[in-house]
Amino acid sequence: MTPPLSRRGALIAGAAALAGGLGPAAGAADAVRLPKSTRPRFAALSPLQRAGQRVIHSYPGLTPPASLMTAIEQGHTAGVIFFGENVQNLTQIEGVIRSMEKARASSPVKAPLLLMTDQEGGMIRRLPGEPVKSAKDVGASSDPHYWADFTGSGAGLNLAGVGMNVNLAPVLDVYRTAGDFTDQYARSYSKSAAAVASCGADFITAQQREGVAATAKHFPGLGPATASQNTDLRSVTITTSAATLRSVDEAPYRDAIAAGVKLVMLSWAVYTGLDSARPAGLSPTVVGELRNRLGFKGVTVTDALEAGALSSYGSTSQRAVKAAAAGMDLLLCSARSVSQGDEAVTALADALGDSLDPTAFDAAAARVNALRGGL
């Protein structure tokens, strides 16, 4: 097994990748300008290519299947999420990413792929190395500001060193009780919304300084969830009042947005205080809470489209269309099946101009491509 990277080791590994990085994080209100050479002409793309700008694929094992490489070459995907089963060591995954970028070079969409993983820290890491400390370790340390900066920088350097450019971190959930859903894996910085906000913003700023886009999750917050309320496995309903959600759980997102966070992932829980009928990631009301109340202008991304919480919402195709219609820009197909991503792309293409408004559809794709063009 490859030994964990020290911060110095991560710096050496990541140095070459930083030249094309994001640079210092800008405020969320600052527009990301997509270079003309990478700006897609949506009218010139096929429906499948237009739909592909909204979908993240995944695959099983160490070697990407030919079908995934074809999807990349044809412009039928926005990127790939990597899991532990895809990573043998840093050298191997760096080689995989080089092969994907080579395939992408012949795509009609010239913007870089979004190449992402969950490198939160502590127990939740897909690559060996930084960040070794968990969010809980950081929040409980004698100097949370230092360690949030250290872990954010370490995550960025580690991912950039192998060619990844998006981290599905940090978690901004404000946990309530020891051993609850977020705390049991040490994923929350604190019970204090202010402490979570401060640590999260520091992590985001440090990571994006190293050229890797950060993702704040799981809006509007899974902090109130009990130990058994896992949206990956089953439907979850959170009855926290709108007032508490806004004053406690959403509070860290204000700081994250001010820090220039590039993506926000929405939860699959149902929040009765905001929309009792639909999970957050399928709810125009909850997406509107993020966009209109908090002013987020970046990319919204779903949690895993195959999650158990969506078991009553039909097939991948149906879930994909519902999520896009609700205002989710990027759909995460993370079942380690290329066909899952392909199914989502086909469903979006078929719904384009029917149940999905083309203007709103292309606006979402443009936000994703602005992100890609800035990496």
Side-chain angles (χ1 to χ4, degrees), residues 37-64:
S37 61
T38 62
R39 199 176 296 159
R41 295 181 178 88
F42 292 121
L45 299 179
S46 71
L48 287 174
Q49 289 165 342
R50 289 170 73 186
Q53 308 318 298
R54 308 278 301 274
V55 175
I56 296 295
H57 278 69
S58 62
Y59 66 96
L62 296 176
T63 303

PDB file of all heavy atoms in Angstrom, residues 37-64:
ATOM      1  N   SER A  37     -12.179  29.628 -26.336  1.00  0.00           N
ATOM      2  CA  SER A  37     -11.798  28.361 -26.952  1.00  0.00           C
ATOM      3  C   SER A  37     -12.477  27.169 -26.323  1.00  0.00           C
ATOM      4  O   SER A  37     -12.564  26.103 -26.921  1.00  0.00           O
ATOM      5  CB  SER A  37     -10.277  28.176 -26.883  1.00  0.00           C
ATOM      6  OG  SER A  37      -9.857  28.159 -25.523  1.00  0.00           O
ATOM      7  N   THR A  38     -12.951  27.331 -25.059  1.00  0.00           N
ATOM      8  CA  THR A  38     -13.609  26.214 -24.375  1.00  0.00           C
ATOM      9  C   THR A  38     -15.105  26.443 -24.210  1.00  0.00           C
ATOM     10  O   THR A  38     -15.802  25.586 -23.704  1.00  0.00           O
ATOM     11  CB  THR A  38     -12.994  25.974 -22.982  1.00  0.00           C
ATOM     12  OG1 THR A  38     -13.181  27.134 -22.186  1.00  0.00           O
ATOM     13  CG2 THR A  38     -11.525  25.652 -23.076  1.00  0.00           C
ATOM     14  N   ARG A  39     -15.587  27.591 -24.635  1.00  0.00           N
ATOM     15  CA  ARG A  39     -17.003  27.922 -24.453  1.00  0.00           C
ATOM     16  C   ARG A  39     -17.841  27.120 -25.453  1.00  0.00           C
ATOM     17  O   ARG A  39     -17.704  27.286 -26.661  1.00  0.00           O
ATOM     18  CB  ARG A  39     -17.201  29.417 -24.675  1.00  0.00           C
ATOM     19  CG  ARG A  39     -18.478  29.978 -24.087  1.00  0.00           C
ATOM     20  CD  ARG A  39     -18.518  31.480 -24.281  1.00  0.00           C
ATOM     21  NE  ARG A  39     -17.435  32.118 -23.550  1.00  0.00           N
ATOM     22  CZ  ARG A  39     -16.958  33.331 -23.837  1.00  0.00           C
ATOM     23  NH1 ARG A  39     -17.463  34.017 -24.844  1.00  0.00           N
ATOM     24  NH2 ARG A  39     -15.984  33.848 -23.126  1.00  0.00           N
ATOM     25  N   PRO A  40     -18.688  26.210 -24.975  1.00  0.00           N
ATOM     26  CA  PRO A  40     -19.428  25.384 -25.920  1.00  0.00           C
ATOM     27  C   PRO A  40     -20.532  26.158 -26.625  1.00  0.00           C
ATOM     28  O   PRO A  40     -21.163  27.029 -26.043  1.00  0.00           O
ATOM     29  CB  PRO A  40     -20.030  24.290 -25.034  1.00  0.00           C
ATOM     30  CG  PRO A  40     -20.187  24.949 -23.710  1.00  0.00           C
ATOM     31  CD  PRO A  40     -19.039  25.918 -23.583  1.00  0.00           C
ATOM     32  N   ARG A  41     -20.749  25.864 -27.874  1.00  0.00           N
ATOM     33  CA  ARG A  41     -21.890  26.411 -28.598  1.00  0.00           C
ATOM     34  C   ARG A  41     -22.988  25.363 -28.500  1.00  0.00           C
ATOM     35  O   ARG A  41     -22.996  24.389 -29.253  1.00  0.00           O
ATOM     36  CB  ARG A  41     -21.511  26.690 -30.058  1.00  0.00           C
ATOM     37  CG  ARG A  41     -20.446  27.767 -30.216  1.00  0.00           C
ATOM     38  CD  ARG A  41     -20.136  27.999 -31.692  1.00  0.00           C
ATOM     39  NE  ARG A  41     -19.150  29.051 -31.869  1.00  0.00           N
ATOM     40  CZ  ARG A  41     -17.843  28.854 -31.868  1.00  0.00           C
ATOM     41  NH1 ARG A  41     -17.367  27.629 -31.685  1.00  0.00           N
ATOM     42  NH2 ARG A  41     -17.002  29.857 -32.036  1.00  0.00           N
ATOM     43  N   PHE A  42     -23.899  25.554 -27.550  1.00  0.00           N
ATOM     44  CA  PHE A  42     -24.865  24.502 -27.255  1.00  0.00           C
ATOM     45  C   PHE A  42     -25.719  24.148 -28.472  1.00  0.00           C
ATOM     46  O   PHE A  42     -26.094  22.992 -28.659  1.00  0.00           O
ATOM     47  CB  PHE A  42     -25.748  24.916 -26.073  1.00  0.00           C
ATOM     48  CG  PHE A  42     -25.006  24.983 -24.774  1.00  0.00           C
ATOM     49  CD1 PHE A  42     -24.940  26.160 -24.048  1.00  0.00           C
ATOM     50  CD2 PHE A  42     -24.355  23.871 -24.268  1.00  0.00           C
ATOM     51  CE1 PHE A  42     -24.248  26.229 -22.851  1.00  0.00           C
ATOM     52  CE2 PHE A  42     -23.661  23.928 -23.074  1.00  0.00           C
ATOM     53  CZ  PHE A  42     -23.605  25.115 -22.361  1.00  0.00           C
ATOM     54  N   ALA A  43     -25.990  25.154 -29.306  1.00  0.00           N
ATOM     55  CA  ALA A  43     -26.811  24.879 -30.485  1.00  0.00           C
ATOM     56  C   ALA A  43     -26.114  23.933 -31.450  1.00  0.00           C
ATOM     57  O   ALA A  43     -26.763  23.246 -32.244  1.00  0.00           O
ATOM     58  CB  ALA A  43     -27.159  26.184 -31.191  1.00  0.00           C
ATOM     59  N   ALA A  44     -24.777  23.882 -31.380  1.00  0.00           N
ATOM     60  CA  ALA A  44     -24.016  23.022 -32.280  1.00  0.00           C
ATOM     61  C   ALA A  44     -23.865  21.607 -31.732  1.00  0.00           C
ATOM     62  O   ALA A  44     -23.360  20.721 -32.434  1.00  0.00           O
ATOM     63  CB  ALA A  44     -22.639  23.627 -32.547  1.00  0.00           C
ATOM     64  N   LEU A  45     -24.276  21.398 -30.481  1.00  0.00           N
ATOM     65  CA  LEU A  45     -24.144  20.084 -29.865  1.00  0.00           C
ATOM     66  C   LEU A  45     -25.402  19.255 -30.094  1.00  0.00           C
ATOM     67  O   LEU A  45     -26.504  19.791 -30.205  1.00  0.00           O
ATOM     68  CB  LEU A  45     -23.901  20.224 -28.364  1.00  0.00           C
ATOM     69  CG  LEU A  45     -22.638  20.983 -27.926  1.00  0.00           C
ATOM     70  CD1 LEU A  45     -22.573  21.043 -26.405  1.00  0.00           C
ATOM     71  CD2 LEU A  45     -21.376  20.338 -28.486  1.00  0.00           C
ATOM     72  N   SER A  46     -25.219  17.947 -30.149  1.00  0.00           N
ATOM     73  CA  SER A  46     -26.373  17.052 -30.236  1.00  0.00           C
ATOM     74  C   SER A  46     -27.101  17.040 -28.893  1.00  0.00           C
ATOM     75  O   SER A  46     -26.536  17.444 -27.868  1.00  0.00           O
ATOM     76  CB  SER A  46     -25.901  15.636 -30.563  1.00  0.00           C
ATOM     77  OG  SER A  46     -25.235  15.057 -29.443  1.00  0.00           O
ATOM     78  N   PRO A  47     -28.354  16.574 -28.846  1.00  0.00           N
ATOM     79  CA  PRO A  47     -29.056  16.480 -27.556  1.00  0.00           C
ATOM     80  C   PRO A  47     -28.283  15.668 -26.517  1.00  0.00           C
ATOM     81  O   PRO A  47     -28.244  16.040 -25.345  1.00  0.00           O
ATOM     82  CB  PRO A  47     -30.379  15.812 -27.935  1.00  0.00           C
ATOM     83  CG  PRO A  47     -30.620  16.251 -29.344  1.00  0.00           C
ATOM     84  CD  PRO A  47     -29.262  16.260 -29.977  1.00  0.00           C
ATOM     85  N   LEU A  48     -27.648  14.566 -26.934  1.00  0.00           N
ATOM     86  CA  LEU A  48     -26.876  13.758 -25.982  1.00  0.00           C
ATOM     87  C   LEU A  48     -25.662  14.519 -25.477  1.00  0.00           C
ATOM     88  O   LEU A  48     -25.275  14.383 -24.299  1.00  0.00           O
ATOM     89  CB  LEU A  48     -26.449  12.436 -26.627  1.00  0.00           C
ATOM     90  CG  LEU A  48     -27.545  11.401 -26.843  1.00  0.00           C
ATOM     91  CD1 LEU A  48     -27.009  10.205 -27.625  1.00  0.00           C
ATOM     92  CD2 LEU A  48     -28.137  10.928 -25.505  1.00  0.00           C
ATOM     93  N   GLN A  49     -25.043  15.313 -26.333  1.00  0.00           N
ATOM     94  CA  GLN A  49     -23.898  16.111 -25.899  1.00  0.00           C
ATOM     95  C   GLN A  49     -24.329  17.231 -24.958  1.00  0.00           C
ATOM     96  O   GLN A  49     -23.650  17.504 -23.967  1.00  0.00           O
ATOM     97  CB  GLN A  49     -23.155  16.669 -27.113  1.00  0.00           C
ATOM     98  CG  GLN A  49     -22.398  15.605 -27.888  1.00  0.00           C
ATOM     99  CD  GLN A  49     -21.955  16.065 -29.268  1.00  0.00           C
ATOM    100  OE1 GLN A  49     -22.465  17.043 -29.803  1.00  0.00           O
ATOM    101  NE2 GLN A  49     -21.022  15.340 -29.859  1.00  0.00           N
ATOM    102  N   ARG A  50     -25.457  17.865 -25.256  1.00  0.00           N
ATOM    103  CA  ARG A  50     -25.975  18.887 -24.345  1.00  0.00           C
ATOM    104  C   ARG A  50     -26.300  18.271 -22.986  1.00  0.00           C
ATOM    105  O   ARG A  50     -25.984  18.842 -21.941  1.00  0.00           O
ATOM    106  CB  ARG A  50     -27.216  19.551 -24.931  1.00  0.00           C
ATOM    107  CG  ARG A  50     -26.920  20.461 -26.108  1.00  0.00           C
ATOM    108  CD  ARG A  50     -28.189  20.899 -26.808  1.00  0.00           C
ATOM    109  NE  ARG A  50     -28.956  21.882 -26.039  1.00  0.00           N
ATOM    110  CZ  ARG A  50     -30.147  22.318 -26.399  1.00  0.00           C
ATOM    111  NH1 ARG A  50     -30.734  21.855 -27.505  1.00  0.00           N
ATOM    112  NH2 ARG A  50     -30.785  23.218 -25.671  1.00  0.00           N
ATOM    113  N   ALA A  51     -26.932  17.099 -23.005  1.00  0.00           N
ATOM    114  CA  ALA A  51     -27.288  16.424 -21.756  1.00  0.00           C
ATOM    115  C   ALA A  51     -26.050  15.976 -21.000  1.00  0.00           C
ATOM    116  O   ALA A  51     -26.009  16.014 -19.760  1.00  0.00           O
ATOM    117  CB  ALA A  51     -28.193  15.230 -22.050  1.00  0.00           C
ATOM    118  N   GLY A  52     -25.039  15.556 -21.734  1.00  0.00           N
ATOM    119  CA  GLY A  52     -23.816  15.069 -21.106  1.00  0.00           C
ATOM    120  C   GLY A  52     -23.129  16.099 -20.240  1.00  0.00           C
ATOM    121  O   GLY A  52     -22.382  15.744 -19.306  1.00  0.00           O
ATOM    122  N   GLN A  53     -23.373  17.379 -20.513  1.00  0.00           N
ATOM    123  CA  GLN A  53     -22.754  18.436 -19.711  1.00  0.00           C
ATOM    124  C   GLN A  53     -23.310  18.505 -18.301  1.00  0.00           C
ATOM    125  O   GLN A  53     -22.798  19.251 -17.461  1.00  0.00           O
ATOM    126  CB  GLN A  53     -22.941  19.792 -20.409  1.00  0.00           C
ATOM    127  CG  GLN A  53     -22.499  19.842 -21.859  1.00  0.00           C
ATOM    128  CD  GLN A  53     -21.189  19.129 -22.098  1.00  0.00           C
ATOM    129  OE1 GLN A  53     -20.164  19.524 -21.543  1.00  0.00           O
ATOM    130  NE2 GLN A  53     -21.218  18.065 -22.876  1.00  0.00           N
ATOM    131  N   ARG A  54     -24.323  17.701 -18.023  1.00  0.00           N
ATOM    132  CA  ARG A  54     -25.008  17.753 -16.723  1.00  0.00           C
ATOM    133  C   ARG A  54     -24.788  16.485 -15.890  1.00  0.00           C
ATOM    134  O   ARG A  54     -25.341  16.374 -14.796  1.00  0.00           O
ATOM    135  CB  ARG A  54     -26.526  17.920 -16.940  1.00  0.00           C
ATOM    136  CG  ARG A  54     -26.959  19.072 -17.844  1.00  0.00           C
ATOM    137  CD  ARG A  54     -26.990  20.379 -17.111  1.00  0.00           C
ATOM    138  NE  ARG A  54     -27.889  20.350 -15.968  1.00  0.00           N
ATOM    139  CZ  ARG A  54     -29.206  20.602 -16.026  1.00  0.00           C
ATOM    140  NH1 ARG A  54     -29.780  20.894 -17.186  1.00  0.00           N
ATOM    141  NH2 ARG A  54     -29.934  20.587 -14.932  1.00  0.00           N
ATOM    142  N   VAL A  55     -23.979  15.541 -16.382  1.00  0.00           N
ATOM    143  CA  VAL A  55     -23.903  14.220 -15.739  1.00  0.00           C
ATOM    144  C   VAL A  55     -22.456  13.839 -15.406  1.00  0.00           C
ATOM    145  O   VAL A  55     -21.548  14.027 -16.222  1.00  0.00           O
ATOM    146  CB  VAL A  55     -24.523  13.137 -16.650  1.00  0.00           C
ATOM    147  CG1 VAL A  55     -24.340  11.739 -16.055  1.00  0.00           C
ATOM    148  CG2 VAL A  55     -26.013  13.431 -16.874  1.00  0.00           C
ATOM    149  N   ILE A  56     -22.269  13.295 -14.201  1.00  0.00           N
ATOM    150  CA  ILE A  56     -20.992  12.721 -13.769  1.00  0.00           C
ATOM    151  C   ILE A  56     -21.122  11.206 -13.755  1.00  0.00           C
ATOM    152  O   ILE A  56     -22.049  10.659 -13.159  1.00  0.00           O
ATOM    153  CB  ILE A  56     -20.607  13.224 -12.366  1.00  0.00           C
ATOM    154  CG1 ILE A  56     -20.379  14.736 -12.373  1.00  0.00           C
ATOM    155  CG2 ILE A  56     -19.360  12.497 -11.857  1.00  0.00           C
ATOM    156  CD1 ILE A  56     -19.211  15.210 -13.190  1.00  0.00           C
ATOM    157  N   HIS A  57     -20.218  10.521 -14.438  1.00  0.00           N
ATOM    158  CA  HIS A  57     -20.208   9.056 -14.520  1.00  0.00           C
ATOM    159  C   HIS A  57     -19.327   8.439 -13.420  1.00  0.00           C
ATOM    160  O   HIS A  57     -18.509   9.120 -12.802  1.00  0.00           O
ATOM    161  CB  HIS A  57     -19.661   8.611 -15.877  1.00  0.00           C
ATOM    162  CG  HIS A  57     -20.652   8.631 -16.996  1.00  0.00           C
ATOM    163  ND1 HIS A  57     -21.178   9.799 -17.520  1.00  0.00           N
ATOM    164  CD2 HIS A  57     -21.200   7.615 -17.725  1.00  0.00           C
ATOM    165  CE1 HIS A  57     -22.002   9.503 -18.519  1.00  0.00           C
ATOM    166  NE2 HIS A  57     -22.040   8.182 -18.651  1.00  0.00           N
ATOM    167  N   SER A  58     -19.494   7.135 -13.250  1.00  0.00           N
ATOM    168  CA  SER A  58     -18.603   6.345 -12.398  1.00  0.00           C
ATOM    169  C   SER A  58     -18.390   4.995 -13.063  1.00  0.00           C
ATOM    170  O   SER A  58     -19.060   4.661 -14.045  1.00  0.00           O
ATOM    171  CB  SER A  58     -19.202   6.164 -11.000  1.00  0.00           C
ATOM    172  OG  SER A  58     -20.435   5.450 -11.072  1.00  0.00           O
ATOM    173  N   TYR A  59     -17.457   4.213 -12.530  1.00  0.00           N
ATOM    174  CA  TYR A  59     -17.146   2.910 -13.144  1.00  0.00           C
ATOM    175  C   TYR A  59     -16.605   1.958 -12.081  1.00  0.00           C
ATOM    176  O   TYR A  59     -16.129   2.391 -11.033  1.00  0.00           O
ATOM    177  CB  TYR A  59     -16.138   3.088 -14.284  1.00  0.00           C
ATOM    178  CG  TYR A  59     -14.763   3.558 -13.851  1.00  0.00           C
ATOM    179  CD1 TYR A  59     -13.714   2.650 -13.637  1.00  0.00           C
ATOM    180  CD2 TYR A  59     -14.492   4.905 -13.664  1.00  0.00           C
ATOM    181  CE1 TYR A  59     -12.452   3.082 -13.246  1.00  0.00           C
ATOM    182  CE2 TYR A  59     -13.235   5.347 -13.270  1.00  0.00           C
ATOM    183  CZ  TYR A  59     -12.219   4.429 -13.058  1.00  0.00           C
ATOM    184  OH  TYR A  59     -10.977   4.862 -12.661  1.00  0.00           O
ATOM    185  N   PRO A  60     -16.645   0.651 -12.341  1.00  0.00           N
ATOM    186  CA  PRO A  60     -16.149  -0.327 -11.377  1.00  0.00           C
ATOM    187  C   PRO A  60     -14.670  -0.644 -11.600  1.00  0.00           C
ATOM    188  O   PRO A  60     -14.156  -0.545 -12.722  1.00  0.00           O
ATOM    189  CB  PRO A  60     -17.009  -1.556 -11.679  1.00  0.00           C
ATOM    190  CG  PRO A  60     -17.235  -1.467 -13.174  1.00  0.00           C
ATOM    191  CD  PRO A  60     -17.343   0.003 -13.480  1.00  0.00           C
ATOM    192  N   GLY A  61     -13.969  -1.017 -10.533  1.00  0.00           N
ATOM    193  CA  GLY A  61     -12.625  -1.554 -10.678  1.00  0.00           C
ATOM    194  C   GLY A  61     -11.554  -0.529 -11.014  1.00  0.00           C
ATOM    195  O   GLY A  61     -11.764   0.684 -10.932  1.00  0.00           O
ATOM    196  N   LEU A  62     -10.387  -1.051 -11.413  1.00  0.00           N
ATOM    197  CA  LEU A  62      -9.217  -0.208 -11.622  1.00  0.00           C
ATOM    198  C   LEU A  62      -9.093   0.350 -13.036  1.00  0.00           C
ATOM    199  O   LEU A  62      -8.399   1.349 -13.247  1.00  0.00           O
ATOM    200  CB  LEU A  62      -7.942  -1.004 -11.289  1.00  0.00           C
ATOM    201  CG  LEU A  62      -7.787  -1.456  -9.836  1.00  0.00           C
ATOM    202  CD1 LEU A  62      -6.540  -2.316  -9.686  1.00  0.00           C
ATOM    203  CD2 LEU A  62      -7.733  -0.260  -8.894  1.00  0.00           C
ATOM    204  N   THR A  63      -9.769  -0.281 -13.994  1.00  0.00           N
ATOM    205  CA  THR A  63      -9.613   0.124 -15.392  1.00  0.00           C
ATOM    206  C   THR A  63     -10.925   0.653 -15.939  1.00  0.00           C
ATOM    207  O   THR A  63     -11.933  -0.061 -15.944  1.00  0.00           O
ATOM    208  CB  THR A  63      -9.149  -1.068 -16.247  1.00  0.00           C
ATOM    209  OG1 THR A  63      -7.929  -1.591 -15.712  1.00  0.00           O
ATOM    210  CG2 THR A  63      -8.908  -0.638 -17.689  1.00  0.00           C
ATOM    211  N   PRO A  64     -10.957   1.890 -16.422  1.00  0.00           N
ATOM    212  CA  PRO A  64     -12.204   2.435 -16.984  1.00  0.00           C
ATOM    213  C   PRO A  64     -12.656   1.611 -18.186  1.00  0.00           C
ATOM    214  O   PRO A  64     -11.861   1.336 -19.088  1.00  0.00           O
ATOM    215  CB  PRO A  64     -11.812   3.849 -17.422  1.00  0.00           C
ATOM    216  CG  PRO A  64     -10.576   4.179 -16.667  1.00  0.00           C
ATOM    217  CD  PRO A  64      -9.859   2.877 -16.457  1.00  0.00           C
TER     218      PRO A  64
END
